Amino acid sequence: MSNIFDVAKRAGVSVKTVSRVMNDAEKVRKTTRERVEQAMQELDYNPSHAARELRSARSRSIGMLFGDPSSGFQSRFHHSALKACDEAGYFLAGGLFDEEAADWDRQLSAFLSRTRVRNMILVPPLSGASALHERLVERGVSFVLVSPARSSKTIPAVRMDDYAAAHEVTRHLLDLGHRRIGHIAGAPDHVSSTLREEGFVAALQEHGQAEIRSDWIRCGMFTFEHALKAAEDLLDTADRPTAIFASNDEMAAAVYFTASRLGLQVPQDLSVVGFDDVAIARTIWPTLTTIAQPYEAMSKAAVNYLAARDADSDAEPAAKVITLDYEFILRKSTAAPR
């Protein structure tokens, strides 16, 4: 039976070039690809996908670890990453991971051993886990950060413009006539939280007539539970804002819950805007005005980077940051103040 070395000899190319053709790598000249494919046909060489993986000791999989797969952002990104991997001819291998556990290194070793992945996409909060990043580098795993907690000079990342998105959604509330606007921020150690808060404050400052109060900015840690307390602090008082910008949709849902408990109606008594456009934004009533993250574009950018690294593993990794556009989604949760 013919093997990859026979194909390389017949086509007059290296074994690595034959491998690139079989893996549909982009950096192969058309004439070279045709010569390799003709040699494969003449030698009746048609290796199975599984055999290619065994020969190369490399998996056509991309790994993703999840701290909380039920969270809105992670579930949306997981779905879009599945599509991006399928389009690129990869499989997505997912696993649970607790970065705060004492045995996190064992968890990582078990995942890498079980899946044999050499490419990974890291979503928040793991995109900000520097110890994990260092260990992946030590093990020769290529990875891309999604919305990382901090910038890196050596690790590629994809993100959206959180500052501009927060600025636009706050401007929407100001244009409706709101001057008393509260903000529920995300986790303080995450750069997206900082950028969204900065975009919010900048929009208020530029307007000139809006109230800017530090006691109307509360931390909700990106979770429903923490946001309940933050929403109560903002709303359970006579001196309350007429609108609230929550830094993600789960926290916006907590604002709905608290407003209802206090007898306030959305949007008649309180306008609410969120961020992320996860499923709950379309299922709560009234439907939530929010910012849609470019999940599919971010997934494709991350997968395409890793696929390019696979195609040319000798190349130095490019530590570039890709910033993608967002979309403002106007729904039913905002109105002019009474």
Side-chain angles (χ1 to χ4, degrees):
M1 294 179 63
S2 299
N3 56 42
I4 193 171
F5 299 96
D6 297 326
V7 174
K9 184 177 180 180
R10 174 68 68 93
V13 298
S14 67
V15 171
K16 188 173 184 178
T17 297
V18 176
S19 177
R20 288 176 177 173
V21 171
M22 290 193 298
N23 288 308
D24 294 322
E26 294 181 356
K27 294 184 178 180
V28 179
R29 292 180 179 176
K30 182 180 178 181
T31 55
T32 301
R33 184 183 299 277
E34 290 173 349
R35 197 160 69 247
V36 170
E37 290 175 345
Q38 182 178 350
M40 291 173 65
Q41 184 176 0
E42 292 173 353
L43 294 170
D44 195 24
Y45 180 69
N46 186 25
S48 68
H49 178 82
R52 288 205 307 272
E53 290 192 352
L54 289 173
R55 285 191 182 94
S56 64
R58 196 175 185 89
S59 170
R60 287 281 292 180
S61 297
I62 292 176
M64 284 183 66
L65 295 172
F66 298 94
D68 178 13
S70 66
S71 76
F73 179 92
Q74 291 188 24
S75 62
R76 279 294 305 275
F77 194 90
H78 185 199
H79 181 261
S80 61
L82 283 168
K83 293 174 61 178
C85 284
D86 184 62
E87 291 173 1
Y90 281 77
F91 295 100
L92 185 66
L96 292 175
F97 184 78
D98 183 1
E99 65 170 321
E100 297 182 356
D103 70 338
W104 69 266
D105 195 22
R106 183 201 61 77
Q107 295 177 51
L108 177 62
S109 296
F111 177 77
L112 294 177
S113 175
R114 184 172 64 251
T115 63
R116 296 173 53 240
V117 300
R118 288 296 178 265
N119 298 288
M120 294 190 66
I121 299 172
L122 299 182
V123 298
L126 300 182
S127 55
S130 56
L132 172 62
H133 304 168
E134 292 173 4
R135 192 55 50 89
L136 290 175
V137 171
E138 290 173 3
R139 299 189 179 205
V141 177
S142 298
F143 58 99
V144 179
L145 307 180
V146 176
S147 299
R150 57 192 63 84
S151 299
S152 170
K153 295 181 179 179
T154 59
I155 305 173
V158 294
R159 65 179 341 135
M160 57 160 284
D161 193 338
D162 292 273
Y163 178 95
H167 188 280
E168 180 170 344
V169 81
T170 305
R171 282 293 320 180
H172 167 67
L173 295 172
L174 291 166
D175 290 344
L176 287 173
H178 293 279
R179 302 293 179 263
R180 297 164 57 84
I181 307 173
H183 177 55
I184 300 182
D189 61 343
H190 203 290
V191 70
S192 65
S193 301
T194 303
L195 292 172
R196 292 172 196 179
E197 183 176 330
E198 289 176 352
F200 165 74
V201 173
L204 298 183
Q205 291 173 335
E206 290 169 11
H207 187 272
Q209 297 180 3
E211 293 189 43
I212 303 176
R213 292 174 45 170
S214 59
D215 61 325
W216 281 358
I217 300 178
R218 301 283 176 164
C219 179
M221 295 298 294
F222 284 132
T223 70
F224 183 89
E225 292 76 16
H226 282 88
L228 285 174
K229 177 63 169 61
E232 183 176 4
D233 291 340
L234 289 171
L235 296 177
D236 195 10
T237 173
D239 183 31
R240 63 174 179 81
T242 62
I244 292 178
F245 163 35
S247 199
N248 75 357
D249 295 339
E250 292 179 47
M251 297 193 298
V255 175
Y256 273 51
F257 184 92
T258 302
S260 178
R261 184 176 62 80
L262 296 174
L264 301 174
Q265 289 185 300
V266 177
Q268 293 90 334
D269 302 310
L270 178 71
S271 287
V272 183
V273 295
F275 208 104
D276 286 343
D277 193 33
V278 299
I280 197 170
R282 300 181 294 277
T283 55
I284 56 176
W285 184 258
T287 51
L288 181 65
T289 293
T290 188
I291 293 292
Q293 296 229 37
Y295 296 101
E296 292 194 8
M298 288 193 294
S299 297
K300 287 182 179 180
V303 170
N304 288 343
Y305 170 84
L306 294 171
R309 287 283 295 139
D310 257 356
D312 191 2
S313 58
D314 294 332
E316 289 297 321
K320 63 180 180 179
V321 176
I322 300 174
T323 301
L324 299 165
D325 291 334
Y326 62 88
E327 183 181 2
F328 174 64
I329 306 294
L330 179 62
R331 295 197 177 102
K332 303 293 185 180
S333 64
T334 57
R338 286 181 172 177

